Amino acid sequence: MTQFENTSAFKAVILQHFEQDGWTATLAPPNTLGYDIELVRGSEYVAVQVKHQRAKVHAGQLEKFIDFLERPAAAKFTQGFLLSASGFTASVFTYMRTEEVVDVALGSFKDNQIVWEDGDIPQPPPRAQLTYIGVFTCKGGVGKTTISAHLAGAFALNGYDVVLIDLDRQSNLRKLLGDGVYIPGRRGGLGATITVLNHTEWREEEYPDTRVVICDCSPEYDANPEAFIEKFNYCLIPTTLNPLGINKNADVIRRTFAAVRRININAELFVIVNNYHSDESRRNEVLNRILKTEFETLMADDSKCHYIDPETVAIRFSKQLLYWGYHIVENDKPQLAFREVGGRSLPRTDFLKLLDYLEDHTNIEAAKEKEAKAPVG
């Protein structure tokens, strides 16, 4: 909960603070997109965006601000300040580090002052219990293994040790990642591991540092041990915006929802669009509307079924993901498709955004905290 009644009140306080620090501060004209306050001091010309919201600012909001600053309309600004009334998610700091963002400063408003993040990336928040995530669909070839591995990579970038459990008989995770990979830490700190196991090798007590378990499920429903499906907190169902396959894909997703619900009535179920061509805005808008309409009744009946609008979060088409696995051909070490192209990595950004979306659109952590505080016996 923020301390201000509305966004206008928050902007006014922020503007006053900058004026006290010697800036010439001006509110952006009404209906301006991209920034809220202009700052001028000497040769510095800064675009300030303020976020007055109860939830922490997430990686997608940071990416959008950076996108604005890189457009011709923002050419006059020398840098940007992103200010939050409620702080930032861990993925925001990971994004700043991995994308080497140097022209944006982050600030939180605490105790009636702006506290600037000085580059020290905070440790990941504790997860009292294991979080189980299933990546599942009653159809092969939609990117389950790719999404499983790289969502694990996003958690690892945020400092969590992850276990990937390969439930698919093809064992593609083992082929692509071997027994696992290590994700280096922040600023020389200790990193995180992604460990690949089959379902017979997993024992919770043998991996005490692990707080996230991601299951790459088999498209053959009966091939997935029920003991894992019962534990899913989240379940991701990948699909594509394909004109010829929308009705078929919708039917597959409904069958997947029903299959999970036969065993697990508590998991939050999410449809995520994979292989998204973001440059096809008009066609995507039409196809997205059709596919989303297919699930409106289902989502109305089950509040834990979600369709992730690809305009918010999607796994975009990229050559990094298209050619992920080429390291096998080159006899190179196992790796994720987070390699940068032109200084950026679309997969890395997309999976950090997906991680934030999952955390922001469920009450799993709140439920766990409540359970941990509940009296025993």
Side-chain angles (χ1 to χ4, degrees), residues 8-310:
S8 296
F10 184 44
K11 288 180 184 178
V13 171
I14 294 298
L15 189 132
Q16 183 180 30
H17 273 266
F18 280 119
E19 289 178 336
Q20 292 173 351
D21 285 342
W23 292 89
T24 299
T26 308
L27 287 174
N31 301 318
T32 297
L33 299 177
Y35 70 101
D36 302 296
I37 298 172
E38 296 182 12
L39 300 179
V40 180
R41 188 171 64 183
S43 60
E44 297 178 276
Y45 201 169
V46 181
V48 181
Q49 186 176 104
V50 300
K51 292 295 184 182
H52 177 259
Q53 56 192 42
R54 289 173 173 79
K56 294 180 179 180
V57 172
H58 58 77
Q61 292 173 312
L62 170 61
E63 185 192 30
K64 185 175 181 179
F65 185 45
I66 292 172
D67 184 33
F68 160 73
L69 291 173
E70 292 176 345
R71 293 176 179 267
K76 63 184 179 181
F77 296 115
T78 56
Q79 69 177 123
F81 295 163
L82 182 57
L83 302 182
S84 172
S86 52
F88 302 90
T89 68
S91 292
V92 167
F93 299 103
T94 301
Y95 185 104
M96 292 285 288
R97 173 179 61 89
T98 57
E99 300 299 321
E100 298 181 347
V101 178
V102 297
D103 57 352
V104 174
L106 306 177
S108 297
F109 196 80
K110 302 175 182 177
D111 300 325
N112 202 36
Q113 62 179 329
I114 299 172
V115 179
W116 296 101
E117 307 296 343
D118 59 6
D120 288 335
I121 303 173
Q123 290 297 312
R127 306 179 80 90
Q129 299 180 14
L130 283 171
T131 295
Y132 280 83
I133 303 173
V135 183
F136 178 39
T137 180
C138 297
K139 178 180 179 293
V142 292
K144 289 189 300 82
T145 299
T146 299
I147 288 175
S148 299
H150 292 85
L151 180 59
F155 274 106
L157 284 170
N158 276 1
Y160 296 105
D161 285 338
V162 184
V163 165
L164 270 173
I165 299 180
D166 199 340
L167 299 179
D168 197 327
R169 292 173 180 173
Q170 296 183 27
S171 300
N172 286 328
L173 275 176
R174 271 267 164 82
K175 295 172 186 174
L176 291 161
L177 293 180
D179 294 325
V181 295
Y182 175 70
I183 306 298
R186 309 172 174 94
R187 299 184 181 274
L190 194 62
T193 59
I194 300 174
T195 301
V196 180
L197 304 173
N198 63 46
H199 73 277
T200 62
E201 295 172 318
W202 170 241
R203 297 288 186 279
E204 291 185 2
E205 65 274 10
E206 294 177 2
Y207 296 86
D209 295 331
T210 296
R211 285 293 173 266
V212 180
V213 177
I214 299 178
C215 299
D216 181 19
C217 300
S218 171
E220 303 172 42
Y221 177 74
D222 292 336
N224 297 291
E226 291 188 1
F228 284 97
I229 298 177
E230 288 174 349
K231 292 183 177 182
F232 289 166
N233 301 113
Y234 309 138
C235 190
L236 287 171
I237 297 97
T239 191
T240 56
L241 287 183
N242 185 309
L244 295 178
I246 281 185
N247 289 334
K248 182 178 179 181
N249 291 345
D251 179 64
V252 168
I253 293 167
R254 284 195 195 90
R255 288 191 286 114
T256 305
F257 280 166
V260 174
R261 283 290 182 249
R262 284 199 292 270
I263 297 175
N264 185 327
I265 63 172
N266 295 313
E268 302 274 355
L269 309 181
F270 295 88
V271 178
I272 178 73
V273 174
N274 188 32
N275 200 29
Y276 182 68
H277 289 259
S278 54
D279 57 339
E280 294 286 349
S281 58
R282 184 182 65 81
R283 294 173 180 173
N284 284 339
E285 182 180 355
V286 173
L287 297 174
N288 179 37
R289 184 169 62 249
I290 295 171
L291 187 57
K292 186 175 182 179
T293 300
E294 292 282 345
F295 300 113
E296 287 180 350
T297 302
L298 187 150
M299 291 187 291
D301 293 337
D302 188 338
S303 63
K304 294 184 179 180
C305 289
H306 313 275
Y307 178 79
I308 304 178
D309 192 319

